[in-house]
């Protein structure tokens, strides 16, 4: 077993590469043992069936510093009465008779497709979530084409025009707390460019963006304050139509008083858009002194 065994150097955990049948065959006639016997012998030596465990996390050396800075920024906006929102994209959903994780009380289970083929779907749904912690309110902008930076900014613009400006009529600035990757990540140029031209210049708001460190997306409040309750609400229910999906979104509540509003857009968002150095140079973007790659403010070009 020496060449077939691996293990954790910091514990007694061991695992083998060959199957029980192959091990039984390898013993040959001199030491005959059936596959069940080999399994029993391995069990006596602390071997057992194991699956991979996702426990190795790569964390940024500036993780704690960024979390403290996020809190400072949030408290400063709260004191001024200005809006703070958490944003992220929930996993895309297939619209049609597809299995949805979870169970519900019923007499007969929903009958759904055996295979989750895209060709069997009526379409896809990309839910972009916005969570307002001050009001414990969630907003979901459902797209049907692609999760791009333009789509993300359009979602925030929809929230501001439909709800935000009425809830915060005196606001001069907006704080966005976002993940470090994806359509609203700190690397995509299109995210910053679209924020400038389609949100900041259009509304006159200055927008400060603070990104969570790499590998820390689970601390984004939109995940557990909004997406979690949504997933529980529609658990076990096939999202057979866009109307049904929006109904579940709008009916999502919690004992803590969460409310959710949603809308559907069928606009096509192009992928692969490139932003030039010249276009980036035209942005009215100021990087913060603290971790400038993750923290920046975009102001209207007219100022």
């Amino acid at each position: 077993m020496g060449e077939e065994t691996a293990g954790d150097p910091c514990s007694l955990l061991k695992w083998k590469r060959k199957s029980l049948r192959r091990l039984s065959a390898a013993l040959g006639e001199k030491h005959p043992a059936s596959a069940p016997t080999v399994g029993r012998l391995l069990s006596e030596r602390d071997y057992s069936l194991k699956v991979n465990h996702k426990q190795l996390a790569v964390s940024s050396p500036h993780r704690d510093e960024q979390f403290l800075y996020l809190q400072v920024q949030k408290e400063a906006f709260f004191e001024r009465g200005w809006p703070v929102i958490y944003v992220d994209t929930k996993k895309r959903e297939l619209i049609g008779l597809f299995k949805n994780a979870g169970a519900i009380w019923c007499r007969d289970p929903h009958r759904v497709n055996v295979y989750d083929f895209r060709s069997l779907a009526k379409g896809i749904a990309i839910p972009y979530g916005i969570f307002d912690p001050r009001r414990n309110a969630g907003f979901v902008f459902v797209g049907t084409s692609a999760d791009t930076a333009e789509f993300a900014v359009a979602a925030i613009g929809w929230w501001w025009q439909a709800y935000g400006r009425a809830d915060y009529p005196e606001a001069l600035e907006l704080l966005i707390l976002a993940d470090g990757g994806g359509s609203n990540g700190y690397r995509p140029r299109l995210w910053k460019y679209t924020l400038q031209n389609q949100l900041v210049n259009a509304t006159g708001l200055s927008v400060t963006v603070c990104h969570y460190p790499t590998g820390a997306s689970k601390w984004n409040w939109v995940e557990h304050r909004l997406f979690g309750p949504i997933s529980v609400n529609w658990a076990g229910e096939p999202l057979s139509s866009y109307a049904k999906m929006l109904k579940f979104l709008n009916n999502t509540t919690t004992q803590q008083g969460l409310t959710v509003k949603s809308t559907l857009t069928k606009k096509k968002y192009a992928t692969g858009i490139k932003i030039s150095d010249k276009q980036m140079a035209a942005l009215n973007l100021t990087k913060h002194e603290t971790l400038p790659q993750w923290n920046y403010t975009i102001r209207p070009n007219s100022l």
Side-chain angles (χ1 to χ4, degrees), residues 47-246:
Y47 285 84
S48 62
L49 292 172
K50 297 287 193 306
V51 297
N52 296 163
H53 283 191
K54 291 185 176 181
Q55 295 181 333
L56 306 178
V58 179
S59 115
S60 166
H62 305 294
R63 176 191 178 101
D64 290 345
E65 183 182 2
Q66 179 64 359
F67 270 104
L68 290 173
Y69 192 71
L70 286 173
Q71 187 62 28
V72 168
Q73 290 294 306
K74 186 167 69 171
E75 291 176 357
F77 272 73
F78 278 167
E79 288 177 4
R80 295 181 178 95
W82 293 347
V84 175
I85 57 173
Y86 295 83
V87 302
D88 195 15
T89 308
K90 195 179 188 299
K91 75 176 184 69
R92 69 176 55 200
E93 305 283 352
L94 290 177
I95 300 300
L97 293 176
F98 298 96
K99 181 180 178 180
N100 204 351
I104 56 174
W105 289 99
C106 58
R107 291 180 179 272
D108 297 304
H110 291 289
R111 289 169 174 78
V112 297
N113 297 323
V114 174
Y115 302 108
D116 293 340
F117 293 152
R118 172 68 177 84
S119 59
L120 299 176
K122 297 176 182 178
I124 61 170
I126 304 171
Y128 190 90
I130 300 163
F131 180 70
D132 179 349
R134 187 191 299 274
R135 287 172 166 73
N136 193 19
F139 308 87
V140 184
F141 190 73
V142 181
T144 60
S145 61
D147 179 20
T148 70
E150 285 187 315
F151 169 69
V153 174
I156 298 170
W158 161 76
W159 162 77
W160 176 253
Q161 296 297 336
Y163 304 99
R165 65 178 180 177
D167 291 337
Y168 301 95
E170 305 300 323
L172 300 177
E173 295 190 30
L174 165 67
L175 174 62
I176 299 175
L177 304 178
D179 286 356
S183 59
N184 49 224
Y186 72 94
R187 293 182 186 275
R189 288 185 169 193
L190 184 60
W191 161 249
K192 299 180 179 71
Y193 180 83
T194 313
L195 277 176
Q196 175 79 76
N197 291 283
Q198 297 186 18
L199 183 65
V200 174
N201 290 348
T203 64
L205 281 174
S206 292
V207 172
T208 293
V209 183
C210 295
H211 294 276
Y212 280 90
T214 304
S217 61
K218 62 176 66 70
W219 275 270
N220 187 335
W221 283 22
V222 76
E223 297 287 347
H224 50 89
R225 298 290 184 91
L226 178 59
F227 292 162
I230 288 171
S231 296
V232 170
N233 190 39
W234 68 31
E237 288 281 358
L239 302 176
S240 55
S241 67
Y242 288 110
K244 185 175 181 179
M245 182 181 193
L246 294 177

